[in-house]
Amino acid sequence: MNDLIPYYRVSTRKQERSGLGLEGQKAAVASFAGSNGVRVLAEYTEVETGKRADRPELAKAIAQAKRCRATLVVAKLDRLARNVAFTSALMDSGVDFVACDNPHANRLTIHILAAVAEDEARRISERTKDALAAAKRRGVMLGAARPECRNLTDKARRKGTKTAATVVKQQADEAYADLREFFAALRPGFSYQQIADILNMRGERTRRGKPWTDVAVLRACRRLGIESPR
């Protein structure tokens, strides 16, 4: 098994401070790592509420797991696997995954759960199409049939190209999201090469899976806004 990147989740800040639930998750991961003879590279803890849809710590955990060819690990599958945001992020990432309470529940298990959600989405889509078809039969103008939507202007095309470029940049930024604080803390007193050496000693890799160099550190710092672009 590869090195581990644990992802913990607690519901409130109070629970995070008290260690309620978090200590149990960490103990489960430590026991799992010890019994399998693997090391833990880094830990990420998400403080989640019912109203929160984003998972910034999960994004950081996935980013490091992808770069380091590590396995994302959770203490218990039941709560996380039913979380749509977690399922979607994990499936899109392509990282290896394991749950301590059910080590046989890997990405295939998550794939099955995602397939169920996909089937429900398909059913919703079919119902939407039926509703649109019924509206069209009643004479309602839809989509491109509307006068204001018949021609795509040059401005609209440029906007689409700009949006695509923004998506590419966002994906690159997210790949190093977990290293932002690390770079910010070390950069004032360390050279780019020294930081690259530390990253390589930690088993870190760039988002393309290559060892860190001084140039790679410089580019990452600029991308994260730690260094000003020239």
Side-chain angles (χ1 to χ4, degrees):
M1 182 180 294
N2 299 331
D3 295 331
L4 300 179
I5 302 289
Y7 172 69
Y8 309 119
R9 187 177 68 85
V10 292
S11 299
T12 64
R13 286 288 180 187
K14 181 178 180 181
Q15 187 180 32
E16 180 190 30
R17 289 193 298 268
S18 68
L20 182 63
L22 183 58
E23 291 182 359
Q25 294 179 57
K26 289 189 174 183
V29 169
S31 176
F32 180 82
S35 62
N36 286 277
V38 292
R39 62 174 180 169
V40 173
L41 291 182
E43 298 179 336
Y44 296 89
T45 302
E46 198 86 73
V47 181
E48 175 197 1
T49 66
K51 297 180 180 180
R52 183 172 177 173
D54 63 322
R55 300 287 184 275
E57 293 304 308
L58 176 59
K60 294 177 184 179
I62 289 175
Q64 184 170 1
K66 288 177 69 175
R67 287 199 320 275
C68 301
R69 305 294 190 271
T71 297
L72 185 69
V73 59
V74 296
K76 297 189 67 177
L77 177 66
D78 56 357
R79 294 178 67 192
L80 290 175
R82 293 196 300 267
N83 186 292
V84 176
F86 175 80
T87 303
S88 299
L90 185 60
M91 287 305 302
D92 291 343
S93 71
V95 300
D96 290 332
F97 166 79
V98 67
C100 295
D101 64 333
N102 190 347
H104 300 293
N106 51 22
R107 289 188 68 246
L108 176 60
T109 307
I110 299 299
H111 182 79
I112 294 172
L113 293 169
V116 173
E118 183 181 9
D119 180 68
E120 177 59 23
R122 179 182 59 80
R123 293 175 186 271
I124 293 173
S125 177
E126 290 176 350
R127 292 194 292 268
T128 301
K129 288 179 180 178
D130 291 342
L132 292 174
K136 188 175 182 179
R137 287 194 296 270
R138 294 196 302 269
V140 178
M141 298 182 69
L142 303 171
R146 296 163 57 193
E148 67 272 23
C149 299
R150 285 176 183 167
N151 295 308
L152 190 62
T153 65
D154 290 338
K155 181 179 180 180
R157 292 190 184 93
R158 289 194 299 270
K159 183 177 180 181
T161 302
K162 183 178 180 181
T163 300
T166 300
V167 171
V168 173
K169 181 181 183 301
Q170 180 179 354
Q171 291 174 343
D173 291 346
E174 289 174 350
Y176 298 132
D178 59 301
L179 293 176
R180 183 185 299 277
E181 294 180 2
F182 173 82
F183 284 138
L186 265 63
R187 183 60 194 101
F190 291 78
S191 68
Y192 299 124
Q193 187 58 57
Q194 289 173 326
I195 296 175
D197 292 340
I198 294 172
L199 289 169
N200 291 327
M201 285 189 293
R202 285 175 36 172
E204 294 274 6
R205 289 294 181 267
T206 68
R207 67 189 184 96
R208 301 189 185 280
K210 298 182 179 299
W212 283 90
T213 65
D214 55 343
V215 174
V217 172
L218 170 61
R219 289 174 177 171
C221 287
R222 286 180 176 175
R223 182 173 295 281
L224 295 172
I226 297 171
E227 297 282 357
S228 300
R230 295 178 180 176

